[in-house]
Amino acid sequence: MVVIMKPKTSEKDVQKMISYVKDMGLDVMINKGVDCTVLGLLGDTSRIDPDTLMLNVHVDRVMRIAEPFKKASRKFHPDDTVVKVGNVEIGKEGNFTVIAGPCSVESEAQIIEVAEDVKKSGAKLLRGGAYKPRTSPYSFQGLELEGIALLKEAKEKTGLPIVTEIMSPNLVETFVDNVDIIQVGARNMQNFDLLKELGKTTKPILLKRGLSSTIEEWLMSAEYILAGGNPNVILCERGIRTFETYTRNTLDLSAIPAVKRLSHLPVVVDPSHSAGMSWMVEPLSMAAMAVGADGLIIEVHNCPEKALCDGAQSLNPKQFDSLMKKMKGIGANIEKKI
Amino acid sequence: MVVIMKPKTSEKDVQKMISYVKDMGLDVMINKGVDCTVLGLLGDTSRIDPDTLMLNVHVDRVMRIAEPFKKASRKFHPDDTVVKVGNVEIGKEGNFTVIAGPCSVESEAQIIEVAEDVKKSGAKLLRGGAYKPRTSPYSFQGLELEGIALLKEAKEKTGLPIVTEIMSPNLVETFVDNVDIIQVGARNMQNFDLLKELGKTTKPILLKRGLSSTIEEWLMSAEYILAGGNPNVILCERGIRTFETYTRNTLDLSAIPAVKRLSHLPVVVDPSHSAGMSWMVEPLSMAAMAVGADGLIIEVHNCPEKALCDGAQSLNPKQFDSLMKKMKGIGANIEKKI
Amino acid sequence: MVVIMKPKTSEKDVQKMISYVKDMGLDVMINKGVDCTVLGLLGDTSRIDPDTLMLNVHVDRVMRIAEPFKKASRKFHPDDTVVKVGNVEIGKEGNFTVIAGPCSVESEAQIIEVAEDVKKSGAKLLRGGAYKPRTSPYSFQGLELEGIALLKEAKEKTGLPIVTEIMSPNLVETFVDNVDIIQVGARNMQNFDLLKELGKTTKPILLKRGLSSTIEEWLMSAEYILAGGNPNVILCERGIRTFETYTRNTLDLSAIPAVKRLSHLPVVVDPSHSAGMSWMVEPLSMAAMAVGADGLIIEVHNCPEKALCDGAQSLNPKQFDSLMKKMKGIGANIEKKI
Amino acid sequence: MVVIMKPKTSEKDVQKMISYVKDMGLDVMINKGVDCTVLGLLGDTSRIDPDTLMLNVHVDRVMRIAEPFKKASRKFHPDDTVVKVGNVEIGKEGNFTVIAGPCSVESEAQIIEVAEDVKKSGAKLLRGGAYKPRTSPYSFQGLELEGIALLKEAKEKTGLPIVTEIMSPNLVETFVDNVDIIQVGARNMQNFDLLKELGKTTKPILLKRGLSSTIEEWLMSAEYILAGGNPNVILCERGIRTFETYTRNTLDLSAIPAVKRLSHLPVVVDPSHSAGMSWMVEPLSMAAMAVGADGLIIEVHNCPEKALCDGAQSLNPKQFDSLMKKMKGIGANIEKKI
């Protein structure tokens, strides 16, 4: 951590600041510049709040040097984390894992049919929403527990492990008992109470990036889960809010190589929600693979025209199958196996 | 709702779309343009998801005309809502309500001293954080239940009603029993499970705007609470995320007249968190009053140099007193009474 | 164009508005809804300013239905535009055109060496900055006319056509006489006087997207050039400003399929400036190809360690060669020939 | 400037970096931390490009400590700059200068009538657009030279100095000869060629903030003009682009106290363009005064219903007069004289 003192701060006031910092158990290096003095704080600064140092009226700015995340950082954990779900290994070098399924679970027939279809095309896990975060209180909120029961049926029939979204800390136990990967949605990325509860389990967590979160904030949310004792975090880029209005959100594919460099956690891409238009899923999926993601989570619906929600962004099974074939082609070229 | 068909859609396909919409119980007006046909959907469109209509391959775009919020809208509720807390009336014409207190409750001495100080200067309610949303799992997370107990002591001593933040649906009952206004923080603005629980109570809710939320999304979150049966919602503008890095966030003062026009709910401003610097609190508070807010929520600390968190943005009691005097001056000029 | 009247507007006031619109030579369809009346304006609305209609106090909102760009739109020009530069055809189906070269032209030796290197690896055009837009007046501003002379020398030696950036309408003639593609930088995307001058030429223009421009604004800037009579516009996505601070900008790869659908113009990607880090150029280039771009413009420097500017984002010739080989591999798979 | 070396960089590589920096004429302080070594660069770092240092593979990050603007900075110029135009002193303590007039100059009758009206209400300068930056090539582009001639007539009749926008470096001489304050619009804030030309004059320049510019970038653009030798720069906040769609832009009033602290230059606010709605001009103007601006630039139109452009955001003379009266009331309270 670096503390920049204001220009013309007296020697006495600089010394006071130094004593204050040393009292926190840190060492201090003093850099006397032309305009101002800069203090280098040496030691474990991860628990020091820069705002507290800003209270000293002689402090101009405080800059953090070390990343505030330790457990999520590749610096202290150089090897890739591989999250195992059944015999699927997400994040393993050379693997490209595709999770597919409908936005919402709607009926037994629907979820089983989709599960069978996506399995045939090469998907390794089944997704489906049982609890739905909706901007409007008047929109369909999901089948809830019944939706989870239907997902389990589909798992029994197909063997595909299931992924579904949690919205409340009250449901952590239910989810741990019934699903294979618990998804945390973009709007709950900083629902810290929920993250703490999930940190107490060892269930794999798919942590979506918040709509306007930085990569650092995203990794800090992963850090909440890791710090609680659960090492099984999969990151998921799903589009950020920008000024563009043509697409619903803007898929940030450059976040993938950034996250792979900063962290050892696997990262997958959701090409369906970000654009909000089914015809964009194919090019974005191809790009996600080429940019280095560890997998995809794609919406597939057996009858998009009647979907209760979000149909506009879903592929039908035939489109999904065609996409999978194309991706296998590219994958062969860059050593990624679907 | 307006549905724009793609150019060159056949008459037959337009008719199919019209039947589809009529099956939903809506009337349709047909506008044949030069390039394309536009359908005007007449009736209660609030439950129709534009994305569902987009599934029809002949649909180019769907535009909502009616606001998606009904209970929060001034259109159907022209009179200002006044939220009563003890004998304080927030949102009443001519009133300007100041809520003040420390960022975090730290000790009995601290909270009582601050409470007495801010009361003397004219604050009508006491704020103080017991549960703190922190980006880092390693930062101080608040005194929790003990913090609430200390706030109640301060209320007993001073008579000031208390405002504090909730983070989990599990704690709604505790908060209803012990605090006077329940604050929902920016990060939980779309924690829909929490909003639903709060909608079941009648306790006043201070709903902060999300960091990158639009005004419509903010009002939709208010709608969740109102739709649940709780009419006592106070909106709070606390700064939005922009590209500016000099200030922590950018206080959106133009949101105040916008919200006052769109909605009947009272709206207050938090000038402390947005800027993150105590010297900015005064000009932003003056501007908030001048722009038409119903009040302020300000951080005041009796000894900022030792604050456990967020001290950089807190005023000390003397600065707060000076600010209150200046605001009374302006207030006299524009018929706002503190 | 759709005009939404305010709820409770009297029949008389609706009729007045209708007369006003008819006086502009448009037809009007009337949609009487439950809450309000909606007018559909039929005819050529491209010259009507929505703000003018908003002046009527009974108007609630005005929404544009037709795209405001005509010449750039694929609706009226379904076939892909192919821009020819020498024997290079940018935008032709199956082609993937790579433009490469240093950020700034620095010396004869430098530019010729780089030109020869990138040609060997498969680049079809040479880029190099002679006039540099710099945030600080104290930074290196480019070799200017001398830089252009050096680019021409490199062209003579290698046969590669040259691409360089213009910053002032005063220099249009010079650029037309000396370079093969004139680049308009992100900061000048809405320098309308410059765009008008370029519209009077027939020289190919590489139009970069503004840092926080929407796709519509970008296409409207292309429209300025097209409307002036110059059909040779190549769009270039180079990253947008987001809240992310880890990368300099965020490359918006989802803009590529969006632009290809909305417009017939070719679109290339700049993977060097957006990230600002050379190690990101490879994954972003691969993703740009996979997502459907017509080519790339990449910075390559023969000795990045000594570059006068922007070296951090440049590849060296060896890295560039390795990237080109990998892209040829993927290209073979998706029918894109470098 | 602070250079953070990567963890585990060898002593030899650290020494190499130190030599490299010393060769640039700088001194270096070495801070050996637990994880990494941090170098403090001492001396004039304003000409050093952080990106150049990033080229060294052992460098993790580079952080600038000194502000990159020197002439615009209050650090080296503590007293407020006062820009004199005739006998108007903009930026003088206690002054609050109102500039008013129509968006576009349309006719002799229009501009003279508006000029007389706004003068009566207390405006000190007349604004009016002759050259208009328009997103669409098909929109009205202004009366150009004729517009300037009409502004001069209005000045003769009323004595009000005139303010109008320039868009091209070709017109600097014309503007210097004919207008009193030259306005640089938001879209040209980083039109560096234009800024350089304006820096060669001594004419007062009203420099609007770019739509998504940071305060630092805005001050760097002012620096271009100041560095050229022209000290007469007035900054103008006119709203930034945010995710909000209800208002056209979001007026950033918190930028006012920030800029007043960072710089000695006067700063005025444009409350008309940012919101784009005339009913918002009054509350935003009041807030701008309360937050500490040195003045306002407001659109006033004598017959908004027929305006050729931007009428929706203009006040009529009666509304303007009423606003001026209210502002005089508040001004009396906070020692700002209109």
Side-chain angles (χ1 to χ4, degrees), chain C residues 49 55 134-136 138 141 168 170 187 190-193 196 212 217 220 223-224 241 248 304 311-312, chain D residues 49 51 55 134 136 138 141 168 170 187 190-193 196 212 217 220 223-224 241 304 311-312:
Chain C
D49 191 335
L55 290 175
R134 305 302 304 264
T135 311
S136 167
Y138 310 122
Q141 312 268 325
S168 170
N170 294 329
R187 289 186 180 80
Q190 293 193 321
N191 183 337
F192 300 121
D193 269 39
K196 282 179 195 170
S212 58
E217 287 167 337
M220 284 308 286
E223 188 83 7
Y224 258 93
R241 183 163 274 191
R248 187 158 56 182
Chain D
D49 191 334
D51 285 342
L55 290 175
R134 304 303 303 265
S136 167
Y138 310 122
Q141 311 268 325
S168 170
N170 294 329
R187 287 186 180 78
Q190 293 193 322
N191 184 335
F192 300 122
D193 268 39
K196 281 179 194 169
S212 57
E217 288 167 337
M220 284 308 285
E223 189 83 5
Y224 258 93
R241 184 164 274 192

Side-chain angles (χ1 to χ4, degrees), chain D residues 309-330:
Chain D
C309 82
D310 270 0
Q313 72 207 19
S314 291
L315 299 184
N316 63 38
K318 203 176 139 187
Q319 293 167 320
F320 177 67
D321 194 64
S322 153
L323 167 61
M324 289 294 274
K325 287 201 174 89
K326 286 191 193 173
M327 286 200 295
K328 282 171 194 165
I330 293 199

Side-chain angles (χ1 to χ4, degrees), chain B residues 113-181:
Chain B
E113 197 181 311
V114 174
E116 285 171 343
D117 281 337
V118 300
K119 188 185 178 184
K120 245 179 275 168
S121 302
K124 291 286 188 297
L125 297 103
L126 176 67
R127 59 149 289 156
Y131 291 84
K132 306 290 304 169
R134 304 303 303 265
T135 311
S136 167
Y138 310 121
S139 297
F140 172 62
Q141 312 267 327
L143 291 184
E144 309 194 342
L145 286 180
E146 192 197 330
I148 290 182
L150 295 175
L151 280 169
K152 285 180 74 175
E153 266 191 65
K155 176 183 175 181
E156 249 167 68
K157 291 264 182 190
T158 58
L160 294 182
I162 55 181
V163 185
T164 195
E165 179 169 353
I166 196 167
M167 287 175 62
S168 170
N170 294 329
L171 287 165
V172 170
E173 214 180 298
T174 307
F175 273 63
V176 166
D177 290 347
N178 289 285
V179 313
D180 299 291
I181 298 183

Side-chain angles (χ1 to χ4, degrees), chain A residues 304-325:
Chain A
E305 286 74 15
K306 291 178 198 147
L308 287 175
C309 82
D310 269 0
Q313 72 206 16
S314 290
L315 299 183
N316 61 40
K318 203 176 138 188
Q319 293 167 320
F320 177 68
D321 193 64
S322 153
L323 167 62
M324 290 293 274
K325 288 202 173 89

Side-chain angles (χ1 to χ4, degrees), chain A residues 33-326:
Chain A
V34 178
D35 297 342
C36 62
T37 297
V38 175
L39 306 179
L41 274 48
L42 313 176
D44 178 10
T45 56
S46 69
R47 269 148 227 260
I48 293 181
D49 191 334
D51 285 343
T52 312
L53 300 174
M54 286 292 291
L55 291 175
N56 186 307
V57 293
H58 302 295
V59 170
D60 191 59
R61 254 181 310 159
V62 176
M63 296 192 285
R64 199 180 266 291
I65 286 166
E67 293 156 352
F69 44 90
K70 297 276 174 199
K71 290 181 189 294
S73 171
R74 195 176 276 279
K75 275 191 190 147
F76 306 103
H77 188 310
D79 295 333
D80 286 344
T81 282
V82 176
V83 176
K84 285 178 197 159
V85 186
N87 53 8
V88 186
E89 294 181 300
I90 302 173
K92 194 177 172 190
E93 215 192 319
N95 273 9
F96 191 80
T97 309
V98 179
I99 307 168
C103 179
S104 298
V105 180
E106 291 165 28
S107 70
E108 191 185 343
Q110 172 236 26
I111 191 68
I112 289 175
E113 196 181 312
V114 174
E116 286 172 341
D117 281 337
V118 300
K119 187 183 178 185
K120 246 178 276 169
S121 302
K124 291 286 189 298
L125 297 104
L126 175 67
R127 58 148 291 155
Y131 291 83
K132 306 292 302 170
R134 305 303 304 264
T135 311
S136 166
Y138 310 121
S139 297
F140 173 60
Q141 312 269 326
L143 290 184
E144 309 193 343
L145 286 180
E146 193 197 328
I148 292 183
L150 295 176
L151 281 169
K152 286 180 73 175
E153 267 190 67
K155 178 183 174 180
E156 250 167 68
K157 293 262 183 191
T158 59
L160 295 182
I162 54 182
V163 185
T164 195
E165 179 170 352
I166 196 168
M167 289 174 61
S168 170
N170 294 329
L171 287 165
V172 170
E173 214 180 297
T174 307
F175 273 63
V176 166
D177 290 347
N178 290 285
V179 313
D180 299 290
I181 299 184
I182 304 178
Q183 176 179 321
V184 176
R187 289 186 179 79
N188 283 307
M189 192 199 86
Q190 293 194 322
N191 184 337
F192 300 122
D193 269 39
L194 179 60
L195 300 178
K196 282 180 195 169
E197 289 306 314
L198 295 170
K200 294 176 191 160
T201 77
T202 56
K203 188 61 78 174
I205 310 297
L206 185 93
L207 179 65
K208 290 204 164 184
R209 180 182 181 184
L211 256 82
S212 57
S213 296
T214 61
I215 291 171
E216 184 178 304
E217 288 167 338
W218 188 16
L219 291 175
M220 284 308 286
S221 286
E223 188 83 6
Y224 258 93
I225 302 169
L226 299 171
N230 183 351
N232 297 310
V233 177
I234 304 157
L235 299 166
C236 177
E237 161 63 32
R238 45 78 70 212
I240 54 173
R241 184 164 274 191
T242 68
F243 300 135
E244 189 49 60
T245 53
Y246 183 71
T247 46
R248 186 157 56 183
N249 293 123
T250 297
L251 192 66
D252 180 7
L253 288 171
S254 64
I256 307 306
V259 159
K260 295 297 287 181
R261 175 163 280 227
L262 287 168
S263 177
H264 50 87
L265 297 172
V267 57
V268 301
V269 167
D270 176 345
S272 306
H273 277 86
S274 53
M277 292 179 285
S278 61
W279 62 267
M280 257 205 195
V281 173
E282 180 175 307
L284 294 179
S285 296
M286 311 273 272
M289 181 184 244
V291 92
D294 294 304
L296 290 168
I297 175 163
I298 300 184
E299 281 189 20
V300 178
H301 202 289
N302 45 359
C303 179
E305 286 74 15
K306 291 178 198 147
L308 287 175
C309 82
D310 269 0
Q313 72 206 16
S314 290
L315 299 183
N316 61 40
K318 203 176 138 188
Q319 293 167 320
F320 177 68
D321 193 64
S322 153
L323 167 62
M324 290 293 274
K325 288 202 173 89
K326 287 191 192 173

Side-chain angles (χ1 to χ4, degrees), chain C residues 69-307:
Chain C
F69 45 90
K70 298 274 174 198
K71 290 181 190 296
S73 170
R74 195 177 276 278
K75 273 191 191 149
F76 307 103
H77 188 310
D79 294 333
D80 286 344
T81 282
V82 177
V83 176
K84 286 179 196 159
V85 187
N87 53 10
V88 185
E89 294 181 299
I90 302 172
K92 196 179 170 188
E93 214 190 319
N95 274 9
F96 191 79
T97 310
V98 178
I99 307 168
C103 179
S104 299
V105 180
E106 290 165 29
S107 71
E108 193 185 341
Q110 172 238 23
I111 190 69
I112 290 174
E113 197 182 312
V114 174
E116 286 171 342
D117 281 338
V118 300
K119 188 184 177 184
K120 245 178 278 169
S121 303
K124 291 287 189 297
L125 296 104
L126 176 67
R127 58 148 293 154
Y131 292 84
K132 306 291 304 169
R134 305 302 304 264
T135 311
S136 167
Y138 310 122
S139 297
F140 174 60
Q141 312 268 325
L143 290 184
E144 310 194 343
L145 286 180
E146 194 197 329
I148 291 184
L150 296 175
L151 280 169
K152 285 179 72 175
E153 266 191 66
K155 177 183 174 181
E156 249 166 68
K157 293 262 183 191
T158 59
L160 294 183
I162 54 181
V163 186
T164 195
E165 179 169 354
I166 196 166
M167 288 174 61
S168 170
N170 294 329
L171 287 166
V172 170
E173 214 179 297
T174 306
F175 273 62
V176 166
D177 290 347
N178 291 285
V179 314
D180 299 292
I181 298 184
I182 304 177
Q183 176 179 321
V184 176
R187 289 186 180 80
N188 283 306
M189 192 199 86
Q190 293 193 321
N191 183 337
F192 300 121
D193 269 39
L194 180 59
L195 299 179
K196 282 179 195 170
E197 289 306 313
L198 295 171
K200 294 175 190 161
T201 78
T202 56
K203 188 61 76 175
I205 310 298
L206 185 92
L207 179 65
K208 290 203 164 182
R209 180 182 182 183
L211 257 82
S212 58
S213 296
T214 61
I215 290 172
E216 183 178 303
E217 287 167 337
W218 190 17
L219 291 174
M220 284 308 286
S221 286
E223 188 83 7
Y224 258 93
I225 301 169
L226 299 171
N230 183 351
N232 297 309
V233 176
I234 303 156
L235 300 165
C236 177
E237 162 64 32
R238 45 78 70 213
I240 54 173
R241 183 163 274 191
T242 67
F243 300 135
E244 188 49 60
T245 53
Y246 182 72
T247 48
R248 187 158 56 182
N249 293 123
T250 297
L251 192 65
D252 179 7
L253 288 170
S254 64
I256 308 306
V259 159
K260 296 296 285 181
R261 175 165 278 228
L262 287 169
S263 176
H264 52 85
L265 298 171
V267 57
V268 301
V269 167
D270 176 343
S272 305
H273 275 86
S274 54
M277 292 180 286
S278 62
W279 62 267
M280 258 206 195
V281 173
E282 181 176 307
L284 294 179
S285 296
M286 311 273 271
M289 182 184 243
V291 92
D294 294 303
L296 291 168
I297 176 162
I298 300 185
E299 282 188 19
V300 178
H301 203 287
N302 45 1
C303 179
E305 286 74 16
K306 290 177 198 149

Side-chain angles (χ1 to χ4, degrees), chain D residues 70 110 112 130 144 150 158 209 218 241 250 284 292 295 301 310 331-332:
Chain D
K70 295 278 174 197
Q110 173 237 24
I112 290 175
E144 309 194 344
L150 295 176
T158 58
R209 180 181 181 184
W218 189 16
R241 184 164 274 192
T250 297
L284 293 179
H301 203 287
D310 270 0

